[in-house]
Amino acid sequence: MTEDERFKVYINSLDRENPLWLEELETDARRECIPIIRRETQSLLRVLLAMRRPEKILEIGTAIGFSALFMSQYAPPDCHITTIEKYEKRIPAARENFRKAGREDRITLLEGDACRILPELMESYDFIFMDGAKGQYIHFLPEVLRLLGENGILVSDNVLQDGELIQSRFAVTRRNRTIHERMREYLYELKHNEALETVILTLGDGTAVSVRKQV
Ligand code: SAM
């Protein structure tokens, strides 16, 4: 184990467990190889949700609803979450998980491609969790910025692709090369956009936290 891995294991071992129903959902998801937020990302989200106390959250990439349910657990009780998923096979599972957790009234699942759905949204959100297809983050950004309210927080997950992002371009496949180029463009934009203040963390698979500044 590398030193970094030992730190990760130690830090994760300090975490307080989630409620049993969330732990079980996480175990099921991992057993079925459904990509859900890592423990380190969970920890970060808990802190950010406690700091910002959002009333409205938007998530891009529901999968089977783990992170939406996780956020509903740690956001204020009156917070509403809107989450977008396009993969038809995962949508019924997400709906069933929301129903089983008794959170259907607090989580709205919008079915379809975020590219189509985002321009239709008219509300402003104080917390946006970007966790869809990595190569599309840069395309989603203009709509996400339109929807992110002042002092709103944007959390972008998996932005360093487990370190692949800084590998030589010859060491990665052509498809991943395109995704990495787009991700680098996205990170550059997050760091240079005048409306945002952003930190890129080597946490989990790489997580960027941005705040929309007051004008
Ligand atoms: N946030 C989830 C969690 O932690 O429980 C995991 C999301 S998973 C990493 C990414 C999900 O985004 C996949 O289920 C995928 O189908 C969905 N997705 C990818 N591109 C999308 C798009 N353009 N519109 C809507 N959903 C998308």
Side-chain angles (χ1 to χ4, degrees):
M1 229 194 255
T2 63
E3 195 173 62
D4 276 358
E5 284 163 347
R6 285 208 302 278
F7 271 132
K8 196 171 81 179
V9 169
Y10 169 63
I11 292 168
N12 285 347
S13 77
L14 294 173
D15 262 347
R16 272 181 295 165
E17 297 234 309
N18 293 315
L20 187 61
W21 61 273
L22 258 182
E23 293 287 337
E24 286 175 353
L25 183 56
E26 179 171 9
T27 306
D28 290 348
R30 300 218 187 277
R31 192 185 322 112
E32 288 161 36
C33 297
I34 293 160
I36 59 166
I37 46 170
R38 299 179 186 198
R39 296 302 285 210
E40 310 85 274
T41 315
Q42 293 178 28
S43 213
L44 176 70
L45 285 177
R46 278 172 78 153
V47 170
L48 294 173
L49 291 169
M51 281 167 69
R52 183 60 179 82
R53 299 189 58 74
E55 289 173 13
K56 280 188 285 173
I57 296 177
L58 174 66
E59 174 183 64
I60 302 168
T62 318
I64 61 162
F66 177 78
S67 53
L69 284 165
F70 178 90
M71 290 191 286
S72 78
Q73 183 66 22
Y74 296 106
D78 56 352
C79 172
H80 192 89
I81 300 175
T82 302
T83 180
I84 307 175
E85 176 57 54
K86 71 169 181 184
Y87 189 22
E88 282 153 22
K89 282 192 184 161
R90 289 190 178 149
I91 291 168
R95 288 203 186 282
E96 179 59 10
N97 288 328
F98 297 156
R99 190 195 61 76
K100 277 201 274 189
R103 302 277 159 98
E104 288 160 300
D105 55 337
R106 291 182 52 195
I107 304 175
T108 302
L109 173 54
L110 302 178
E111 301 182 17
D113 197 316
C115 296
R116 175 184 62 78
I117 292 174
L118 287 172
E120 292 171 3
L121 299 178
M122 291 304 149
E123 286 179 77
S124 148
Y125 297 86
D126 32 37
F127 198 100
I128 300 184
F129 183 46
M130 180 93 94
D131 197 19
K134 314 310 157 203
Q136 292 180 324
Y137 284 14
I138 186 70
H139 304 313
F140 295 152
L141 190 59
E143 289 299 332
V144 163
L145 287 177
R146 179 180 64 81
L147 294 166
L148 188 65
E150 262 184 29
N151 295 324
I153 293 183
L154 166 63
V155 179
S156 311
D157 203 14
N158 312 110
V159 295
L160 298 177
Q161 318 262 287
D162 265 331
E164 276 190 27
L165 201 74
I166 51 168
Q167 275 185 6
S168 154
R169 65 192 298 274
F170 301 107
V172 292
T173 61
R174 184 193 289 245
R175 182 175 173 274
N176 280 347
R177 208 178 296 161
T178 307
I179 293 174
H180 295 172
E181 275 163 16
R182 289 183 186 165
M183 186 56 86
R184 276 194 283 266
E185 200 185 326
Y186 178 69
L187 293 179
Y188 184 91
E189 188 58 29
L190 288 187
K191 290 294 277 186
H192 291 84
N193 189 304
E194 293 283 318
L196 298 175
E197 203 60 69
T198 295
V199 61
I200 300 168
L201 305 168
T202 56
L203 171 132
D205 204 3
T207 311
V209 180
S210 313
V211 180
R212 183 171 195 126
K213 292 188 276 189
Q214 271 180 306
V215 281

